[in-house]
Amino acid sequence: MFSLHRLRTGGRTVCEDRKETPRKGRRGLALASTVLTGLAIAISAAPLPAQSFEVEEATIAGVHAAMRSGELTCEGLVRHYLNRIAMYQNRPPRLNAIANVNPHALSEARQLDAVFTEEGPRGPLHCIPVLLKDQVETSDMPTTYGSVLFKDFVPRRDATIVTRLKDAGAIILAKTNMGEFASRYVGSGFGVIRNPYDRTRNPSGSSGGTGVGITVNLGMVGIGEDTGGSIRGPSAVHALVGLRPTLELVSRFGMMPANPTTDTMGPMTRTVTDAALVLDVIAGYDPRDPVTARSVGRIPESYAAGLQPDALSGARIGVIRTPMDRRVGRTMEGFRQVRARVDAAVAEMRGLGAEVIDLFTIRGIDEVNEIFNLNSFETEEATNAYLAEHRNAPYQTLAAILLTGQVNPWRARGLADLLGKTTRDPGYLEYLLARDRMRVTVLKTMADLDLDALVYATFDHPPTEIAADVEQNPQPRDRYGLGDNRLISPLTGFPAITVPAGFTPDGLPVGIEFMGRPFTEAMLLGFAYAYEQGTNHRRPPRR
């Protein structure tokens, strides 16, 4: 396996040749550059005959049709993506989307080609290259959590979601860069992730690497993790579809936790259909994550099979107009730009047959973000319990991680505030009571108005610029997450899906989010599909 930490040259490392240790500000760049070492291993093999299949904006159905017709092989598809990863890794300023490339990707592709020839597709995701957030365990690649501290950590197990993807025929093509220990868009492991629609702006987080990778077509589908919006944020700002499922629908086993009462995983894709196909594979009960027992009997035979272009016809949709982020002012230019797109989206939904009810506000909706942020009590306990499961982990506690002094300063500051707090503290009860009050308020509003779903902008403001000192300053002035409306879904535990809703005049994507009651993913996917098919707002960034 190739090294994530050092690029080998003539038996020595680059750092040894320079006779210095990389400074903190350069560590991410040093580690990111070694991805190319893995690419060299993955790509090296006898060349294939030319295959004309175009991977940009390709879909699962399109790939499988090309394979059935003989136009494409699995090995050819994987080579296409590996070549694109290499191209983007060399293009400054680096997007830093990829943390680690699977050095076995081509050999796995050849095996799948043999299976296809002899037996047909292995499963519904046969040879689909997946970009996996590096918060999720893989037994054949490092799992770094975006941190230099775990650069060589290879778990001795696969996460349940990884096992299910592989059993369905998918290839874990690469692990993606993430905000260190699941927050923001920068870490000590691989540096700053950049938004390809405007590389001076942040890509949202913390699944930023997956969002960037999927929108520039470095993989076909992605998996993100969402504690407080980390699937939907990067999806919204990259013109992607991102689904946060009901908390108990998808197993979290094999994922480093943040707040277990809101942690979940889900698909990040370029189309709603591909998101539904991925959900078909990853949803369901896992005894190693007992909360998923609640999903039994609540999962349709297929999320993908039920998608209909007229799903919005007759649907009752409530539009939330009130910003949930109190930092947003209605006179801000960014707010006005996003609001124009929301107004247009509402008109588009009406044109597609939906009955749209303007709520303007829900009682207490402007307190959602504050309530969510009351929960500082779960992280240390959950992190320590998780690390205790891994005897080969380089650190066994959150405190030990922070004592190294190597975590990104902003993230270290935030994590330090969580030390010493437990779910037995009285403040945790206050959080739970406030959360439940908001959950009842939302359900009552939907019941009183006979609503099928709520709709709101994922962000009420475009992504802000990356601060120049974001790798050194514990308090960078980048207004990260300005306009954030994502927290209502994890706070209530309800599923939500963001879908492209157009662009600002500056060419920045705007995402609009559908949220429903628990286990209404099939309905939400249907609404998103009808909106997607009726508007076709998805547009990749320019090269």
Side-chain angles (χ1 to χ4, degrees):
M1 181 171 295
F2 65 95
S3 169
L4 275 177
H5 185 45
R6 298 178 178 87
L7 179 61
R8 303 296 299 188
T9 55
R12 295 178 294 174
T13 67
V14 170
C15 298
E16 289 166 350
D17 287 344
R18 293 175 180 170
K19 301 188 184 301
E20 64 177 358
T21 301
R23 293 189 298 274
K24 194 176 189 76
R26 293 168 49 193
R27 183 181 291 114
L29 179 59
L31 290 182
S33 68
T34 64
V35 173
L36 298 178
T37 308
L39 284 171
I41 294 172
I43 295 174
S44 60
L48 288 172
Q51 299 190 42
S52 60
F53 185 81
E54 179 56 67
V55 299
E56 290 193 50
E57 302 299 287
T59 64
I60 293 173
V63 162
H64 287 168
M67 288 180 175
R68 287 192 299 269
S69 70
E71 179 187 355
L72 180 68
T73 64
C74 185
E75 183 178 355
L77 179 67
V78 169
R79 280 187 184 278
H80 276 304
Y81 280 116
L82 291 174
N83 288 332
R84 286 185 65 83
I85 291 174
M87 177 181 68
Y88 273 91
Q89 283 297 120
N90 279 319
R91 179 182 296 167
R94 286 191 175 98
L95 295 175
N96 280 342
I98 303 299
N100 191 358
V101 174
N102 180 359
H104 311 295
L106 283 176
S107 63
E108 292 175 12
R110 294 186 197 105
Q111 293 171 11
L112 287 170
D113 277 332
V115 169
F116 191 84
T117 299
E118 296 174 7
E119 306 170 12
R122 174 169 290 175
L125 299 183
H126 181 89
C127 191
I128 298 306
V130 176
L131 300 184
L132 181 70
K133 185 179 184 181
D134 206 14
Q135 190 177 350
V136 184
E137 295 172 23
T138 46
S139 60
D140 53 358
M141 283 184 279
T143 299
T144 74
Y145 318 109
S147 179
V148 69
L149 299 174
F150 286 80
K151 61 186 175 60
D152 298 319
F153 173 53
V154 180
R156 293 170 179 165
R157 65 190 189 189
D158 282 334
T160 295
I161 198 170
V162 171
T163 300
R164 289 180 175 175
L165 288 166
K166 289 181 176 180
D167 287 347
I171 294 175
I172 306 301
L173 183 68
K175 306 290 286 293
T176 54
N177 194 7
M178 57 181 281
E180 191 162 9
F181 298 116
S183 187
R184 288 169 62 97
Y185 58 93
V186 61
S188 65
F190 303 95
V192 178
I193 310 168
R194 296 185 178 274
N195 189 321
Y197 288 91
D198 179 347
R199 299 190 186 203
T200 69
R201 296 180 186 254
N202 77 73
S204 188
S206 62
S207 307
T210 304
V212 172
I214 296 302
T215 202
V216 299
N217 290 270
L218 305 185
M220 182 155 292
V221 300
I223 295 294
E225 177 276 338
D226 194 309
T227 297
S230 294
I231 289 172
R232 293 159 293 131
S235 295
V237 305
H238 293 114
L240 298 175
V241 175
L243 172 66
R244 175 192 167 88
T246 305
L247 182 72
E248 301 91 347
L249 185 61
V250 175
S251 172
R252 290 90 47 88
F253 177 81
M255 180 200 81
M256 177 179 271
N259 290 336
T261 58
T262 59
D263 295 338
T264 188
M265 289 185 282
M268 299 170 66
T269 61
R270 293 183 292 272
T271 70
V272 176
T273 300
D274 283 359
L277 288 167
V278 172
L279 188 62
D280 278 338
V281 168
I282 65 176
Y285 173 57
D286 176 14
R288 293 179 296 183
D289 186 3
V291 301
T292 56
R294 191 170 174 230
S295 71
V296 174
R298 299 171 183 250
I299 301 174
E301 185 174 341
S302 171
Y303 291 102
L307 299 178
Q308 298 293 333
D310 62 351
L312 278 170
S313 181
R316 286 180 59 84
I317 308 293
V319 181
I320 299 176
R321 299 282 190 176
T322 304
M324 300 178 216
D325 183 352
R326 290 178 174 175
R327 297 176 299 168
V328 172
R330 294 176 181 271
T331 61
M332 288 181 174
E333 178 60 24
F335 176 83
R336 289 200 296 263
Q337 291 177 358
V338 172
R339 179 50 55 92
R341 287 309 318 154
V342 172
D343 291 343
V346 168
E348 290 164 340
M349 288 180 210
R350 287 194 172 109
L352 293 167
E355 186 177 354
V356 181
I357 296 89
D358 266 306
L359 302 179
F360 290 97
T361 190
I362 294 176
R363 182 179 178 184
I365 199 74
D366 60 342
E367 299 176 2
V368 163
N369 292 8
E370 292 180 11
I371 295 171
F372 182 89
N373 289 324
L374 291 174
N375 186 12
S376 58
F377 304 97
E378 299 178 17
T379 305
E380 185 178 18
E381 286 182 339
T383 302
N384 292 352
Y386 169 82
L387 292 171
E389 298 174 0
H390 298 279
R391 293 184 180 181
N392 65 325
Y395 301 91
Q396 294 295 311
T397 66
L398 180 59
I401 288 170
L402 293 177
L403 285 171
T404 66
Q406 296 189 66
V407 176
N408 171 265
W410 184 92
R411 188 60 178 131
R413 177 174 172 268
L415 289 172
D417 289 341
L418 308 180
L419 294 178
K421 297 182 178 180
T422 78
T423 54
R424 295 176 296 281
D425 292 351
Y428 189 57
L429 176 60
E430 294 179 14
Y431 159 72
L432 293 177
L433 291 172
R435 181 198 66 182
D436 288 349
R437 284 194 296 270
M438 182 54 63
R439 183 179 293 162
V440 171
T441 296
V442 171
L443 285 172
K444 184 177 186 304
T445 300
M446 295 181 71
D448 288 346
L449 298 175
D450 192 24
L451 300 177
D452 296 306
L454 299 173
V455 161
Y456 46 90
T458 303
F459 290 105
D460 276 324
H461 195 281
T464 54
E465 292 185 353
I466 296 168
D469 60 355
V470 73
E471 293 186 89
Q472 296 86 29
N473 190 344
Q475 294 181 292
R477 295 182 179 179
D478 57 3
R479 296 185 301 167
Y480 172 73
L482 186 62
D484 191 357
N485 294 327
R486 298 172 294 170
L487 298 181
I488 189 172
S489 169
L491 183 64
T492 58
F494 299 172
I497 185 169
T498 188
V499 64
F503 294 80
T504 68
D506 294 332
L508 298 172
V510 173
I512 196 160
E513 197 161 311
F514 293 88
M515 187 181 82
R517 298 176 180 85
F519 298 104
T520 57
E521 282 80 2
M523 180 186 70
L524 295 178
L525 285 161
F527 292 164
Y529 179 76
Y531 182 76
E532 171 196 65
Q533 295 299 301
T535 60
N536 295 306
H537 284 308
R538 161 71 189 166
R539 187 172 74 232
R542 296 177 181 176
R543 289 191 178 184

